[in-house]
Amino acid sequence: MKMGVDSMIVDFKPLITREINCFDNALANIANWFGEGYIYGEGYLYIFAQSLPFTYKNWDYVIGNNIFFSQKPKFELIEKYFGASHCYYEGFPPDRLLEIIKAEIDSNNPVFIGFDTYWMPWDIKYQNEHFYYHYCIAVGYDDNSVFIADPFKGFVDFKPLSIEYFLKGIGTCTTFSKRAGFISEKVHWLTVLEDAFKSYNYNQGDRCFLNSLRLLANEIEDKMKFDVEFKGLSKQLAWQAPIVKNLLEIKNYRNVFSNLLEYIYTNYYRHESIIALSKFYKKLASMWLKTHNHLYKGFLVN
Protein backbone atom coordinates (compact mmCIF):
# COMPACT_ATOMS: atom_id res chain seq x y z
CA MET A 1 0.00 0.00 0.00
CA LYS A 2 1.48 3.31 -1.12
CA MET A 3 1.68 6.07 1.50
CA GLY A 4 2.89 9.38 0.02
CA VAL A 5 6.63 9.32 -0.61
CA ASP A 6 6.91 6.28 1.67
CA SER A 7 5.77 2.72 1.12
CA MET A 8 4.66 0.13 3.65
CA ILE A 9 2.90 -3.23 3.45
CA VAL A 10 0.56 -2.25 6.25
CA ASP A 11 -1.47 -5.47 6.23
CA PHE A 12 1.55 -7.76 6.66
CA LYS A 13 1.13 -9.51 10.01
CA PRO A 14 4.37 -11.14 11.24
CA LEU A 15 3.84 -14.73 12.24
CA ILE A 16 5.91 -16.17 15.10
CA THR A 17 6.13 -19.82 14.07
CA ARG A 18 7.21 -22.98 15.84
CA GLU A 19 10.00 -23.48 13.34
CA ILE A 20 13.67 -23.81 14.04
CA ASN A 21 15.77 -20.95 12.69
CA CYS A 22 15.57 -17.47 11.22
CA PHE A 23 15.74 -18.76 7.62
CA ASP A 24 12.77 -21.07 8.08
CA ASN A 25 10.85 -18.53 10.12
CA ALA A 26 11.21 -15.78 7.52
CA LEU A 27 10.38 -18.17 4.69
CA ALA A 28 7.29 -19.41 6.57
CA ASN A 29 6.12 -15.81 6.79
CA ILE A 30 6.61 -15.38 3.05
CA ALA A 31 4.66 -18.58 2.34
CA ASN A 32 1.89 -17.49 4.69
CA TRP A 33 1.64 -14.12 2.95
CA PHE A 34 1.46 -15.46 -0.59
CA GLY A 35 -0.74 -18.36 0.51
CA GLU A 36 -3.15 -15.83 1.99
CA GLY A 37 -2.97 -16.96 5.59
CA TYR A 38 -6.72 -16.79 6.10
CA ILE A 39 -6.98 -19.72 3.65
CA TYR A 40 -4.04 -21.76 4.85
CA GLY A 41 -3.79 -21.01 8.56
CA GLU A 42 -0.60 -22.90 9.38
CA GLY A 43 -0.46 -24.25 5.85
CA TYR A 44 2.99 -22.68 5.60
CA LEU A 45 4.08 -26.02 7.09
CA TYR A 46 3.73 -27.40 3.55
CA ILE A 47 7.09 -25.82 2.71
CA PHE A 48 8.72 -28.28 5.13
CA ALA A 49 7.23 -31.35 3.46
CA GLN A 50 10.60 -32.26 1.93
CA SER A 51 12.83 -31.21 4.83
CA LEU A 52 13.46 -34.75 6.11
CA PRO A 53 16.20 -35.73 3.63
CA PHE A 54 19.76 -34.56 4.03
CA THR A 55 22.92 -35.29 2.08
CA TYR A 56 26.06 -36.88 3.50
CA LYS A 57 29.25 -36.55 1.46
CA ASN A 58 32.44 -37.87 3.06
CA TRP A 59 34.61 -35.12 1.64
CA ASP A 60 36.07 -34.04 4.98
CA TYR A 61 37.65 -35.98 7.85
CA VAL A 62 35.26 -34.11 10.20
CA ILE A 63 31.94 -35.98 10.13
CA GLY A 64 29.93 -32.89 11.10
CA ASN A 65 31.21 -31.02 8.04
CA ASN A 66 29.85 -33.69 5.70
CA ILE A 67 26.16 -33.21 6.52
CA PHE A 68 24.35 -30.89 4.09
CA PHE A 69 20.81 -29.55 3.98
CA SER A 70 19.28 -28.25 0.77
CA GLN A 71 17.01 -25.21 1.00
CA LYS A 72 16.07 -25.48 -2.68
CA PRO A 73 12.98 -27.68 -2.15
CA LYS A 74 11.42 -25.06 0.14
CA PHE A 75 11.51 -22.45 -2.62
CA GLU A 76 10.16 -24.96 -5.11
CA LEU A 77 7.30 -25.85 -2.76
CA ILE A 78 6.41 -22.18 -2.24
CA GLU A 79 5.84 -21.99 -5.99
CA LYS A 80 4.03 -25.33 -6.20
CA TYR A 81 1.77 -24.98 -3.15
CA PHE A 82 1.49 -21.20 -2.79
CA GLY A 83 1.87 -20.02 -6.37
CA ALA A 84 4.80 -17.66 -5.76
CA SER A 85 7.89 -17.86 -7.97
CA HIS A 86 11.16 -16.42 -6.67
CA CYS A 87 14.24 -14.59 -7.88
CA TYR A 88 17.47 -14.66 -5.85
CA TYR A 89 19.91 -11.71 -5.83
CA GLU A 90 23.48 -12.09 -4.58
CA GLY A 91 26.64 -10.13 -5.34
CA PHE A 92 24.75 -6.98 -6.27
CA PRO A 93 25.85 -3.55 -4.97
CA PRO A 94 23.90 -2.67 -1.81
CA ASP A 95 22.28 0.39 -3.39
CA ARG A 96 21.04 -1.77 -6.26
CA LEU A 97 19.57 -4.28 -3.79
CA LEU A 98 17.82 -1.39 -2.06
CA GLU A 99 16.28 -0.31 -5.38
CA ILE A 100 15.02 -3.85 -6.00
CA ILE A 101 13.57 -4.08 -2.49
CA LYS A 102 11.82 -0.71 -2.76
CA ALA A 103 10.24 -1.68 -6.09
CA GLU A 104 8.91 -4.92 -4.59
CA ILE A 105 7.48 -3.17 -1.54
CA ASP A 106 5.78 -0.66 -3.86
CA SER A 107 4.13 -3.70 -5.49
CA ASN A 108 2.99 -4.93 -2.05
CA ASN A 109 5.46 -7.82 -2.02
CA PRO A 110 7.51 -8.47 1.15
CA VAL A 111 11.17 -9.29 0.46
CA PHE A 112 13.20 -12.12 2.01
CA ILE A 113 16.63 -10.71 2.95
CA GLY A 114 19.95 -12.04 4.25
CA PHE A 115 21.61 -9.59 6.63
CA ASP A 116 24.72 -9.07 8.78
CA THR A 117 23.52 -8.67 12.38
CA TYR A 118 26.53 -6.47 13.20
CA TRP A 119 24.40 -3.65 11.74
CA MET A 120 21.11 -4.66 13.39
CA PRO A 121 20.58 -2.66 16.64
CA TRP A 122 18.12 -5.13 18.17
CA ASP A 123 20.44 -8.13 17.80
CA ILE A 124 22.84 -9.36 20.47
CA LYS A 125 25.70 -9.27 17.93
CA TYR A 126 25.13 -5.58 17.10
CA GLN A 127 28.46 -3.72 16.83
CA ASN A 128 30.10 -6.73 18.43
CA GLU A 129 30.35 -9.62 15.97
CA HIS A 130 29.69 -10.09 12.26
CA PHE A 131 27.08 -12.72 11.47
CA TYR A 132 26.17 -12.59 7.80
CA TYR A 133 23.41 -15.19 7.78
CA HIS A 134 20.45 -13.71 9.61
CA TYR A 135 17.23 -13.79 7.59
CA CYS A 136 14.24 -11.52 7.97
CA ILE A 137 11.74 -9.60 5.84
CA ALA A 138 11.73 -6.08 4.42
CA VAL A 139 8.19 -4.66 4.50
CA GLY A 140 8.54 -0.88 4.09
CA TYR A 141 10.76 2.17 3.66
CA ASP A 142 10.89 5.94 3.91
CA ASP A 143 13.60 8.52 3.24
CA ASN A 144 15.56 7.50 6.34
CA SER A 145 14.84 3.85 7.06
CA VAL A 146 13.94 0.40 5.83
CA PHE A 147 11.32 -1.32 7.99
CA ILE A 148 12.06 -4.89 8.97
CA ALA A 149 9.82 -7.72 10.16
CA ASP A 150 11.93 -10.02 12.34
CA PRO A 151 9.48 -12.50 13.91
CA PHE A 152 12.30 -14.92 14.76
CA LYS A 153 13.34 -12.40 17.39
CA GLY A 154 9.80 -12.46 18.73
CA PHE A 155 8.80 -9.13 17.17
CA VAL A 156 5.31 -8.70 15.74
CA ASP A 157 5.94 -5.04 14.91
CA PHE A 158 8.20 -3.49 12.27
CA LYS A 159 11.69 -2.30 13.22
CA PRO A 160 13.12 0.78 11.46
CA LEU A 161 16.70 0.32 10.29
CA SER A 162 18.62 3.36 9.06
CA ILE A 163 19.43 3.44 5.36
CA GLU A 164 23.12 3.76 6.32
CA TYR A 165 23.09 0.55 8.36
CA PHE A 166 20.89 -1.22 5.84
CA LEU A 167 23.37 -0.59 3.04
CA LYS A 168 26.23 -1.83 5.23
CA GLY A 169 24.46 -4.98 6.35
CA ILE A 170 22.44 -6.19 3.37
CA GLY A 171 23.92 -9.26 1.67
CA THR A 172 21.23 -10.99 -0.37
CA CYS A 173 17.56 -10.67 -1.16
CA THR A 174 14.96 -12.95 -2.67
CA THR A 175 11.86 -11.54 -4.30
CA PHE A 176 8.60 -13.41 -4.83
CA SER A 177 5.77 -12.82 -7.28
CA LYS A 178 2.37 -14.48 -7.48
CA ARG A 179 1.95 -16.80 -10.46
CA ALA A 180 -0.98 -15.86 -12.65
CA GLY A 181 -3.81 -18.38 -12.68
CA PHE A 182 -2.73 -20.20 -9.52
CA ILE A 183 -5.67 -21.69 -7.57
CA SER A 184 -4.83 -22.51 -3.98
CA GLU A 185 -7.80 -24.82 -3.51
CA LYS A 186 -6.27 -27.32 -5.94
CA VAL A 187 -3.46 -28.10 -3.50
CA HIS A 188 -4.41 -31.38 -1.81
CA TRP A 189 -2.87 -32.70 1.40
CA LEU A 190 -2.42 -36.15 -0.15
CA THR A 191 -0.28 -34.68 -2.93
CA VAL A 192 1.84 -32.98 -0.29
CA LEU A 193 2.50 -36.29 1.49
CA GLU A 194 3.13 -38.21 -1.72
CA ASP A 195 5.73 -35.64 -2.77
CA ALA A 196 7.30 -35.75 0.69
CA PHE A 197 7.83 -39.50 0.65
CA LYS A 198 9.08 -39.46 -2.94
CA SER A 199 11.88 -37.19 -1.73
CA TYR A 200 13.22 -40.09 0.36
CA ASN A 201 14.31 -41.87 -2.81
CA TYR A 202 15.31 -38.79 -4.76
CA ASN A 203 18.68 -39.58 -6.31
CA GLN A 204 20.82 -37.18 -8.28
CA GLY A 205 24.43 -38.24 -8.25
CA ASP A 206 25.26 -38.77 -4.58
CA ARG A 207 22.18 -36.91 -3.31
CA CYS A 208 20.20 -39.90 -2.07
CA PHE A 209 18.81 -39.56 1.43
CA LEU A 210 18.67 -43.27 2.25
CA ASN A 211 22.30 -43.74 1.22
CA SER A 212 23.28 -40.63 3.18
CA LEU A 213 21.50 -41.95 6.27
CA ARG A 214 23.34 -45.27 6.12
CA LEU A 215 26.68 -43.59 5.46
CA LEU A 216 26.29 -41.16 8.38
CA ALA A 217 25.36 -43.99 10.74
CA ASN A 218 28.41 -46.02 9.68
CA GLU A 219 30.73 -43.02 9.97
CA ILE A 220 29.56 -42.19 13.50
CA GLU A 221 29.87 -45.83 14.56
CA ASP A 222 33.27 -46.52 12.98
CA LYS A 223 35.13 -43.22 12.72
CA MET A 224 33.77 -40.87 15.37
CA LYS A 225 36.60 -39.11 17.26
CA PHE A 226 35.83 -36.40 19.79
CA ASP A 227 39.18 -34.65 19.37
CA VAL A 228 38.45 -34.29 15.64
CA GLU A 229 34.79 -33.23 15.81
CA PHE A 230 35.38 -30.72 18.65
CA LYS A 231 38.88 -29.61 17.69
CA GLY A 232 39.80 -26.21 19.11
CA LEU A 233 36.53 -25.81 21.03
CA SER A 234 36.25 -25.27 24.76
CA LYS A 235 33.43 -26.79 26.80
CA GLN A 236 31.68 -23.42 26.67
CA LEU A 237 31.83 -23.36 22.86
CA ALA A 238 31.21 -27.07 22.23
CA TRP A 239 27.74 -26.25 20.87
CA GLN A 240 29.46 -24.73 17.83
CA ALA A 241 30.79 -28.10 16.66
CA PRO A 242 29.25 -28.96 13.26
CA ILE A 243 28.28 -32.46 14.43
CA VAL A 244 26.30 -30.95 17.33
CA LYS A 245 24.51 -28.31 15.27
CA ASN A 246 23.72 -30.60 12.34
CA LEU A 247 22.36 -33.49 14.39
CA LEU A 248 20.15 -31.01 16.21
CA GLU A 249 18.88 -29.69 12.89
CA ILE A 250 18.11 -33.23 11.70
CA LYS A 251 16.10 -33.72 14.87
CA ASN A 252 14.27 -30.43 14.45
CA TYR A 253 13.18 -31.19 10.90
CA ARG A 254 11.55 -34.41 12.07
CA ASN A 255 9.57 -32.39 14.58
CA VAL A 256 8.56 -29.94 11.85
CA PHE A 257 7.35 -32.81 9.67
CA SER A 258 5.38 -34.16 12.62
CA ASN A 259 3.78 -30.72 12.99
CA LEU A 260 2.79 -30.88 9.32
CA LEU A 261 1.09 -34.24 9.88
CA GLU A 262 -0.79 -32.84 12.89
CA TYR A 263 -1.93 -29.92 10.73
CA ILE A 264 -3.27 -32.32 8.09
CA TYR A 265 -4.97 -34.40 10.77
CA THR A 266 -6.62 -31.38 12.38
CA ASN A 267 -7.77 -29.67 9.18
CA TYR A 268 -8.25 -32.31 6.50
CA TYR A 269 -8.08 -35.98 7.41
CA ARG A 270 -8.84 -37.04 10.97
CA HIS A 271 -7.63 -40.60 10.65
CA GLU A 272 -5.61 -42.52 13.20
CA SER A 273 -2.99 -43.42 10.60
CA ILE A 274 -2.02 -39.74 10.24
CA ILE A 275 -1.65 -39.10 13.95
CA ALA A 276 0.20 -42.41 14.38
CA LEU A 277 2.66 -41.31 11.68
CA SER A 278 3.07 -37.99 13.45
CA LYS A 279 3.94 -39.79 16.69
CA PHE A 280 6.41 -41.97 14.79
CA TYR A 281 8.32 -38.91 13.58
CA LYS A 282 8.26 -37.42 17.07
CA LYS A 283 9.88 -40.66 18.23
CA LEU A 284 12.48 -40.41 15.47
CA ALA A 285 13.19 -36.84 16.55
CA SER A 286 13.71 -38.09 20.10
CA MET A 287 16.16 -40.74 18.88
CA TRP A 288 18.19 -38.16 16.95
CA LEU A 289 18.22 -35.96 20.05
CA LYS A 290 19.57 -38.83 22.12
CA THR A 291 22.38 -39.33 19.60
CA HIS A 292 23.09 -35.59 19.72
CA ASN A 293 23.10 -35.57 23.53
CA HIS A 294 25.36 -38.64 23.82
CA LEU A 295 27.98 -37.06 21.55
CA TYR A 296 27.74 -33.69 23.28
CA LYS A 297 27.97 -35.26 26.74
CA GLY A 298 30.81 -37.52 25.61
CA PHE A 299 32.92 -34.47 24.81
CA LEU A 300 31.98 -32.55 27.95
CA VAL A 301 32.88 -35.38 30.36
CA ASN A 302 36.03 -36.45 28.53
Side-chain angles (χ1 to χ4, degrees):
M1 180 179 294
K2 198 75 173 165
M3 299 169 55
V5 297
D6 307 331
S7 192
M8 181 78 73
I9 307 175
V10 294
D11 49 348
F12 185 91
K13 307 297 181 185
L15 176 71
I16 298 177
T17 74
R18 296 176 289 174
E19 309 337 318
I20 63 178
N21 54 50
C22 59
F23 183 97
D24 288 337
N25 181 284
L27 205 58
N29 271 267
I30 293 291
N32 195 59
W33 170 261
F34 284 98
E36 302 169 350
Y38 63 88
I39 295 176
Y40 280 95
E42 288 191 331
Y44 67 83
L45 287 167
Y46 284 169
I47 68 172
F48 299 105
Q50 295 179 25
S51 293
L52 291 171
F54 59 84
T55 301
Y56 188 87
K57 303 176 182 178
N58 53 357
W59 290 349
D60 195 291
Y61 63 93
V62 178
I63 294 174
N65 287 337
N66 293 329
I67 303 170
F68 299 90
F69 304 94
S70 175
Q71 305 294 2
K72 183 180 178 182
K74 296 173 187 174
F75 290 94
E76 293 173 345
L77 294 181
I78 283 183
E79 180 162 8
K80 182 171 184 177
Y81 298 149
F82 301 92
S85 56
H86 74 282
C87 186
Y88 176 68
Y89 297 88
E90 182 179 29
F92 284 68
D95 55 348
R96 175 58 182 141
L97 290 179
L98 181 58
E99 290 177 3
I100 293 169
I101 291 168
K102 285 182 175 181
E104 288 299 310
I105 292 171
D106 288 345
S107 298
N108 215 42
N109 293 326
V111 184
F112 182 86
I113 63 173
F115 205 82
D116 177 5
T117 54
Y118 185 89
W119 301 105
M120 192 168 275
W122 57 87
D123 194 274
I124 194 172
K125 294 182 174 64
Y126 173 62
Q127 301 287 288
N128 182 46
E129 179 183 349
H130 288 282
F131 180 75
Y132 299 96
Y133 307 106
H134 183 59
Y135 295 90
C136 45
I137 309 156
V139 294
Y141 68 90
D142 61 21
D143 289 340
N144 302 309
S145 305
V146 176
F147 292 86
I148 304 296
D150 196 352
F152 185 72
K153 300 293 184 182
F155 304 136
V156 293
D157 55 347
F158 304 151
K159 298 293 183 183
L161 186 66
S162 71
I163 296 292
E164 176 190 0
Y165 280 10
F166 186 84
L167 292 175
K168 289 179 178 179
I170 185 67
T172 66
C173 75
T174 305
T175 62
F176 293 82
S177 57
K178 195 75 171 180
R179 196 173 73 233
F182 176 79
I183 302 174
S184 60
E185 288 79 2
K186 288 187 176 180
V187 177
H188 193 277
W189 64 268
L190 188 57
T191 303
V192 175
L193 288 190
E194 286 175 345
D195 287 348
F197 292 120
K198 284 179 184 176
S199 69
Y200 274 28
N201 293 306
Y202 174 75
N203 193 354
Q204 182 177 343
D206 55 0
R207 286 181 57 200
C208 176
F209 166 60
L210 296 179
N211 289 342
S212 291
L213 187 61
R214 296 187 190 99
L215 187 56
L216 174 58
N218 292 337
E219 294 275 279
I220 289 179
E221 184 174 7
D222 299 335
K223 300 181 180 180
M224 175 72 193
K225 295 180 179 179
F226 289 112
D227 58 336
V228 172
E229 300 300 320
F230 294 88
K231 185 177 181 180
L233 295 174
S234 64
K235 288 186 177 182
Q236 290 75 21
L237 296 178
W239 60 270
Q240 295 183 1
I243 189 71
V244 170
K245 293 194 290 186
N246 284 331
L247 288 184
L248 195 60
E249 190 143 336
I250 290 172
K251 182 272 295 186
N252 287 335
Y253 280 131
R254 273 123 196 87
N255 277 331
V256 170
F257 190 75
S258 179
N259 292 339
L260 167 60
L261 293 170
E262 290 176 4
Y263 172 77
I264 291 172
Y265 175 81
T266 301
N267 292 279
Y268 299 110
Y269 189 61
R270 298 187 69 87
H271 193 278
E272 61 182 16
S273 62
I274 297 293
I275 205 66
L277 194 58
S278 174
K279 291 179 179 178
F280 170 74
Y281 279 100
K282 290 285 188 187
K283 183 177 180 180
L284 281 181
S286 177
M287 294 169 67
W288 278 103
L289 182 60
K290 286 180 180 178
T291 303
H292 163 276
N293 289 346
H294 281 312
L295 294 178
Y296 194 49
K297 182 179 179 181
F299 169 75
L300 294 179
V301 301
N302 184 8

